[in-house]
Amino acid sequence: MEYYDLNLERDNEDFKFLYNEFKEGFLVFDLIETQVWNKADNDSLGQENYYNNHKSDYMWLRRLDIELTQSTSLDAANEVRTMLQLGIATDTIKSRLNLDNKTKVIISSGTVEETYNRLPEDFDVKLGVSAVYNDQGDSFYKVIEVKGILEPSNKTLEEARGRVINDYKQELEKNWINNLREGHKIKLHKKVLKKVKTQIKKQLD
């Protein structure tokens, strides 16, 4: 058994082929990890340079500073709208409507892009308190107070870092592959390619 194990690659072509596939695959994986993934993750200067050269790729759409209210009924939504127009704080609105352990209104606030999926489909973007919206199939009646509108602008490096690192990895990989090809002529064995195609076709048939 020991002799068989020591000479397995020599005597078993299928095993030899499979073993080489794994070995070369691990080598390629290790190279990519070293030359691309780890470098992109840890190279803060490279990330910054890439970001500075591609700033236009990392933009905020128009953003809205909003109070998004979602009510369980039209009557509750109308009450919420009236109170927002009167300048009543959202905490007070919730305390007035959510009584006896019954939630009539949910309110969230923050800055979102105008494509935010929880905004009504036909939302009319303008400062102030909106009308009552109820999209088809939506169980909530929504009233939105737009407190501010931020025009499109560049994301900072910190805001875009996840995408920057991913894009930087792709550039490093592309450059690495191009460097490997420099000075090496790729030769295509047409007979072997034709034979492989024939074998694949037979398997598919």
Side-chain angles (χ1 to χ4, degrees):
M1 288 300 296
E2 184 180 355
Y3 176 83
Y4 176 79
D5 289 341
L6 290 172
N7 294 279
L8 189 56
E9 285 183 75
R10 185 196 67 188
D11 299 333
N12 190 320
E13 286 295 324
D14 290 338
F15 175 81
K16 181 180 179 180
F17 175 79
L18 187 61
Y19 179 76
N20 284 332
E21 284 280 291
F22 275 106
K23 184 170 65 176
E24 291 169 5
F26 280 124
L27 287 173
V28 171
F29 178 86
D30 187 61
L31 274 172
I32 293 176
E33 187 175 42
T34 303
Q35 299 294 325
V36 179
W37 298 335
N38 290 345
K39 183 176 180 180
D41 287 335
N42 300 318
D43 183 8
S44 56
L45 182 60
Q47 294 169 18
E48 186 175 355
N49 289 335
Y50 184 88
Y51 165 78
N52 288 331
N53 291 329
H54 301 83
K55 273 189 177 182
S56 60
D57 294 337
Y58 308 106
M59 297 286 295
W60 287 112
L61 301 177
R62 187 165 59 155
R63 289 176 291 162
L64 314 175
D65 179 12
I66 63 170
E67 298 282 358
L68 171 64
T69 73
Q70 301 180 92
S71 303
T72 55
S73 69
L74 179 58
D75 288 340
N78 283 324
E79 287 186 69
V80 170
R81 185 170 186 267
T82 299
M83 286 189 275
L84 285 174
Q85 288 174 324
L86 292 172
I88 297 174
T90 53
D91 286 342
T92 303
I93 294 173
K94 287 189 289 186
S95 65
R96 289 186 183 180
L97 292 179
N98 297 336
L99 302 172
D100 302 323
N101 293 321
K102 292 182 179 179
T103 301
K104 290 185 177 180
V105 61
I106 301 169
I107 302 177
S108 55
S109 60
T111 302
V112 299
E113 290 187 312
E114 61 182 336
T115 55
Y116 183 48
N117 60 8
R118 287 172 63 187
L119 291 174
E121 293 177 2
D122 56 345
F123 181 55
D124 183 17
V125 177
K126 59 183 179 182
L127 291 172
V129 179
S130 74
V132 177
Y133 287 88
N134 179 237
D135 292 337
Q136 186 176 6
D138 192 344
S139 57
F140 288 108
Y141 294 84
K142 297 178 180 179
V143 177
I144 300 95
E145 181 180 9
V146 179
K147 301 163 71 176
I149 299 175
L150 304 172
E151 294 304 320
S153 61
N154 282 105
K155 292 182 180 181
T156 65
L157 175 56
E158 285 307 312
E159 290 169 335
R161 191 174 294 278
R163 272 196 60 202
V164 169
I165 291 175
N166 186 60
D167 294 344
Y168 184 38
K169 285 179 181 178
Q170 292 184 43
E171 182 177 83
L172 287 175
E173 184 173 358
K174 181 181 177 181
N175 292 340
W176 177 58
I177 291 173
N178 288 338
N179 287 336
L180 289 175
R181 287 181 172 177
E182 283 184 6
H184 298 85
K185 185 177 179 181
I186 298 174
K187 184 177 181 181
L188 179 64
H189 294 274
K190 294 184 178 179
K191 289 184 178 179
V192 176
L193 178 61
K194 185 177 180 180
K195 183 179 178 181
V196 171
K197 285 182 177 180
T198 302
Q199 289 177 345
I200 293 174
K201 189 173 185 300
K202 285 181 180 178
Q203 291 175 356
L204 293 176
D205 293 339

